[in-house]
Amino acid sequence: MQATGLENVRRAKLNQLRELGINPYPADLYPVDHTSEEIKENFQEGKQVIIAGRLMTRRIQGKASFAELQDAKGRIQVYFNRDEICPSEDKTQYNEVYKKLLDIGDIIGIEGVLFKTQVGEKTVMVKNFTVLSKALRPLPQPREDADGKIHHAFTDPEQRYRQRYADLIVNPHIKEIFIKRTKLFNAMRAFFNERGYMEVDTPVLQPIPGGAAARPFVTHHNTLDIPLYLRIANELYLKRLIVGGFDGVYEFSRNFRNEGMDRTHNPEFTAMEIYVAYKDYNWMMDFCEELLEHCAIAVNGSTKATFGEHEIDFKAPYERITMTDAILKYTGFDISGKSEDEIREAALKMGIEVDETMGKGKLIDEIFGEKAEPNFIQPTFIIDYPKEMSPLCKEHRDNPELTERFELMVCGKEIANAYSELNDPIDQRERFMEQLKLSERGDEEASSYIDYDFLRALEYGMPPTSGMGIGMDRLIMFLTNNASIQEVLFFPQMRPEQKKPALSEDETAVLSLIKEEATALEDIKSQSGLSNKKWDKAIKGLTKANLVKVEKQDDNLTVKKV
C-alpha cells in the first residue's frame, strides 16, 4: 500500500528519532502504575505517577504545552513544560522530540506529578516522557466548520467496521458496548457455574453439519481426504455428553452459517447452549426468566433496557402464548389440523411468498414470522410448536401434533430457543428421514444429512433433558440499544474492499488531507508541502477522477471529497 504524504512525513520523523538515538519501538517493560481513571478517582496533589497512552490532542505555546493522553480507561490532561522536562541547558528532549517529532496518535509513557490547573482540571505535570510507539498513520480527526459545528471524521459504519482499531481509538465510547458484552458472558457463566453445570468444548470442524436447519460452510481435510463442515450448531455433541453421564453442560460456541447477511445476521456468530438432564421445557422457561433477569442487572444495573423506541423489562415472569394462538390472534387463521395445501393456500391469501419446496413446518414458520412475530415487544415465550418445525424436539405430552418447544421473543426477534429434548431413538430416526425428504424437495434449510453416530448415542439411552440456545450477539444488541449486529461484533464479516483508482503520490497526499484534516483550500495547500504546480496538478487529477470538487462561496474556496 502506497504511503500518503502525511505518512511519509511521519516516516521521516521516525528516522530522525533513530538518528537521535531514540528507539521508537522499545522492547523494555514500561512500569505503568496508574490509569487515567485511577488518577481522577483518587487524586492527590503532588503524587508521583507513571502513566502511558496515546497522545490525542495538544496545544503548544512556546516552552509549554497542554495535551491529552488516552489510555484504556479514558483521558487525562498532561502538562509539558520545557524547563521541567529539560532542567539542564540541553533542551533537545522538548524542542526536538516533543515539539517536532511527536504526532497525534503516538503512544508515550509519562513520569510526572499531579496538580490542578487554575480552573481545577486534574493534570499530570510531565517530568520525563518516553516514546513507546511512533504512529505512522494519522488518526481520523474531527474538524470544525465556519459555524462551529464539529464534523467527526470517522462515523461511516463501513469504515468503522473495517478499521475497528481506529474506531476504538477515536470513538472510545464504542468500548462500552464490548465491556458490557464481556459482562454478559461473565454473568451467564457465573450463573451456570453456581448451579453446578460444566462448561465444555465441542468440535468446530464436524463431519456432518447437524443440530440446526442451516446451510454450512464446507472445507476439506487434506490428511484424511474428507469434507468437513464448520459447525452450524453444537447441540448434538452436547447431548452426547448428557448420554455420557453429565447432568448439565453448556458451551459458548462460535457457529457458522452460509446464509444471508443483514442487520441481525452475521455468518459467524456466538451462541450459548445448555442442556440439563431430568428437566423439561416448563422448567427451562422458569430458568430462562431467572437467567435473563440476572444478566440484565449484571450488564445495566437494572432489569430494564432501552431498545430504539421501546423500554424492555427483563423482570420475570414473561407472557406465554402458543404458536397456534399467536398466529390465530394476528391473522385469524387457525393452523390446527390443517393440511400442507390448506396452509399454503392461506399463506398466499395473506400475501406471503411461498413455493412448492416448503413443507408444512416451513409454511407455518413463514406465516408466524411475517404476521405474528413483529408484535411481540416485551419478552414473550412462544410455546408448543408444530412437530414439523422441530425435528429434535420431544412430542407434546397432550397433543401429538405439537412439540414441547419454546422461543423467547423480544422486540419481534428470537433470542432463545429451547426444547424438551427428543430422546426416543426410533422417533428421532423417523424425524431425520422426514428432514431428508424435505431436502430432496429443494428445501435448502432442511438437513440432507443423518447423524447415525448421534442415533447410536441415543440408543444407549439419554435421560429426559431440556436444552436451550441463546443468541449472544442478539441479546447484547438489546442490552446496549444497538439495532445492528455489526455494532456488537469487534470484526463483523465485510465484503472485500473495492479497488480504488490508482492515484499519484501527490494526489494521495492531498486526498488524505481532505479526508482527515481540513476542507479549506488554503489550509490544505499549506499542509500539503507541494509546490503550486504540483498542487494544481493533484487537484485537477482528483477532480477528473470524481474524487473531489472545488466550491466557491463568496471569496472562499473549499475542496470537498465527493
Side-chain angles (χ1 to χ4, degrees):
M1 185 180 293
Q2 189 178 30
T4 66
L6 285 179
E7 290 165 11
N8 285 329
V9 169
R10 288 183 177 233
R11 281 174 167 78
K13 292 181 179 181
L14 177 77
N15 292 330
Q16 291 176 56
L17 286 170
R18 286 178 168 144
E19 289 170 3
L20 289 171
I22 297 171
N23 183 355
Y25 306 106
D28 300 341
L29 174 150
Y30 192 77
V32 175
D33 60 18
H34 282 76
T35 66
S36 58
E37 183 180 69
E38 290 168 343
I39 289 173
K40 292 176 181 178
E41 290 181 352
N42 304 295
F43 184 82
Q44 296 178 32
E45 188 104 23
K47 184 177 181 178
Q48 294 184 339
V49 297
I50 302 176
I51 60 174
R54 195 180 296 273
L55 195 61
M56 296 302 292
T57 65
R58 60 176 179 168
R59 304 179 299 281
I60 297 176
Q61 298 174 328
K63 69 175 186 178
S65 170
F66 281 100
E68 279 189 306
L69 201 72
Q70 179 171 290
D71 62 15
K73 297 296 184 178
R75 291 190 183 187
I76 187 75
Q77 180 170 271
V78 293
Y79 175 63
F80 289 81
N81 183 290
R82 184 187 65 190
D83 297 332
E84 290 288 340
I85 296 170
C86 311
S88 64
E89 292 184 3
D90 184 0
K91 306 299 182 184
T92 301
Q93 181 76 353
Y94 184 83
N95 291 337
E96 298 298 322
V97 179
Y98 176 71
K99 289 182 69 174
K100 296 181 180 179
L101 302 182
L102 288 189
D103 292 294
I104 300 301
D106 290 350
I107 297 173
I108 62 175
I110 287 175
E111 298 174 42
V113 176
L114 302 185
F115 78 102
K116 286 186 179 180
T117 64
Q118 291 182 345
V119 295
E121 181 76 15
K122 296 172 182 177
T123 307
V124 180
M125 179 180 289
V126 180
K127 296 294 185 179
N128 185 41
F129 70 89
T130 304
V131 180
L132 298 177
S133 183
K134 178 67 181 170
L136 299 184
R137 183 181 292 269
L139 294 175
Q141 293 292 313
R143 60 179 177 79
E144 186 175 338
D145 63 19
D147 298 324
K149 184 178 180 181
I150 299 296
H151 296 269
H152 293 280
F154 213 64
T155 55
D156 178 72
E158 182 173 343
Q159 282 187 309
R160 290 179 47 242
Y161 304 153
R162 287 192 191 282
Q163 301 180 48
R164 183 66 85 183
Y165 37 86
D167 184 33
L168 294 168
I169 294 169
V170 300
N171 299 316
H173 62 280
I174 298 296
K175 288 182 179 178
E176 186 60 28
I177 296 170
F178 297 98
I179 291 170
K180 287 187 173 184
R181 182 185 174 102
T182 296
K183 285 182 179 179
L184 172 62
F185 278 73
N186 289 343
M188 196 171 285
R189 181 175 279 113
F191 187 88
F192 297 149
N193 291 346
E194 287 169 4
R195 285 153 182 79
Y197 306 137
M198 187 172 77
E199 185 170 9
V200 298
D201 292 309
T202 62
V204 174
L205 289 174
Q206 300 180 354
I208 292 176
R215 293 172 59 187
F217 287 93
V218 185
T219 185
H220 185 83
H221 192 286
N222 291 333
T223 301
L224 297 177
D225 193 23
I226 59 170
L228 289 173
Y229 305 88
L230 294 182
R231 71 176 166 204
I232 57 175
N234 56 350
E235 175 172 344
L236 301 187
Y237 283 92
L238 292 175
K239 288 198 281 193
R240 283 172 168 92
L241 297 179
I242 296 295
V243 171
F246 291 101
D247 281 346
V249 293
Y250 71 93
E251 181 179 17
F252 294 100
S253 67
R254 299 293 286 181
N255 295 343
F256 306 84
R257 298 185 181 179
N258 198 354
E259 298 171 340
M261 295 168 53
D262 57 33
R263 293 174 67 82
T264 59
H265 294 88
N266 194 67
E268 178 182 0
F269 63 97
T270 302
M272 184 290 304
E273 294 210 19
I274 183 168
Y275 293 81
V276 185
Y278 309 109
K279 308 298 183 185
D280 66 5
Y281 80 138
N282 291 308
W283 177 89
M284 188 61 83
M285 273 187 272
D286 296 337
F287 182 82
C288 180
E289 290 174 336
E290 188 181 354
L291 170 66
L292 294 185
E293 184 175 317
H294 166 83
C295 288
I297 293 171
V299 172
N300 288 327
S302 168
T303 61
K304 295 181 179 179
T306 299
F307 186 74
E309 61 185 17
H310 304 294
E311 183 180 72
I312 309 164
D313 194 347
F314 285 97
K315 185 173 180 57
Y318 306 156
E319 180 186 357
R320 304 179 186 192
I321 181 172
T322 67
M323 173 165 275
T324 300
D325 288 345
I327 291 175
L328 180 62
K329 179 177 180 179
Y330 292 105
T331 69
F333 178 67
D334 188 352
I335 63 173
S336 301
K338 298 296 190 299
S339 68
E340 181 180 307
D341 289 340
E342 289 173 316
I343 295 173
R344 180 177 288 104
E345 183 182 351
L348 289 169
K349 288 180 179 178
M350 296 176 199
I352 299 171
E353 289 188 18
V354 297
D355 59 54
E356 294 302 318
T357 69
M358 295 180 179
K360 186 175 178 181
K362 187 69 179 291
L363 292 167
I364 294 171
D365 193 31
E366 289 294 315
I367 294 172
F368 176 78
E370 287 204 26
K371 300 300 182 180
E373 189 175 80
N375 297 288
F376 298 104
I377 304 303
Q378 293 302 320
T380 304
F381 290 120
I382 308 299
I383 65 174
D384 300 347
Y385 280 54
K387 185 183 290 186
E388 294 83 359
M389 297 180 66
S390 311
L392 296 169
C393 188
K394 182 171 284 191
E395 183 180 285
H396 197 284
R397 65 197 74 180
D398 299 324
N399 186 340
E401 291 187 357
L402 304 177
T403 57
E404 296 195 347
R405 174 185 178 185
F406 73 77
E407 287 187 328
L408 179 64
M409 298 292 166
V410 176
C411 286
K413 299 294 181 183
E414 170 217 337
I415 60 171
N417 185 22
Y419 307 158
S420 292
E421 299 295 337
L422 179 58
N423 61 344
D424 179 341
I426 297 173
D427 190 358
Q428 182 65 84
R429 184 181 295 269
E430 291 172 353
R431 304 271 195 100
F432 279 160
M433 294 303 296
E434 287 298 318
Q435 286 290 299
L436 194 59
K437 290 177 184 177
L438 289 173
S439 175
E440 291 169 351
R441 283 175 54 178
D443 186 343
E444 291 184 344
E445 290 189 351
S447 177
S448 59
Y449 304 88
I450 295 179
D451 191 336
Y452 289 104
D453 179 69
F454 175 66
L455 290 174
R456 179 169 57 192
L458 286 186
E459 288 171 355
Y460 280 101
M462 185 175 81
T465 298
S466 183
M468 176 173 65
I470 292 178
M472 299 300 290
D473 306 315
R474 194 169 289 179
L475 178 56
I476 199 62
M477 287 168 61
F478 290 125
L479 292 175
T480 60
N481 194 17
N482 279 291
S484 171
I485 193 171
Q486 286 82 11
E487 290 288 349
V488 301
L489 300 174
F490 271 129
F491 304 106
Q493 190 65 46
M494 305 288 290
R495 293 183 185 277
E497 290 188 72
Q498 293 184 351
K499 189 174 181 180
K500 297 181 179 178
L503 304 177
S504 71
E505 184 176 345
D506 294 340
E507 289 170 343
T508 303
V510 173
L511 186 60
S512 176
L513 282 165
I514 293 168
K515 285 181 177 179
E516 297 173 355
E517 295 198 2
T519 55
L521 190 63
E522 290 304 317
D523 286 349
I524 301 171
K525 192 171 182 179
S526 64
Q527 292 179 59
S528 71
L530 302 177
S531 66
N532 288 335
K533 186 175 181 180
K534 285 189 173 183
W535 164 261
D536 291 340
K537 186 177 180 180
I539 289 294
K540 285 180 181 178
L542 293 172
T543 304
K544 188 175 181 180
N546 198 33
L547 295 174
V548 304
K549 61 181 178 180
V550 179
E551 293 183 348
K552 185 174 181 180
Q553 296 177 341
D554 299 325
D555 293 326
N556 297 319
L557 289 175
T558 59
V559 175
K560 294 184 178 180
K561 181 175 177 288
V562 175

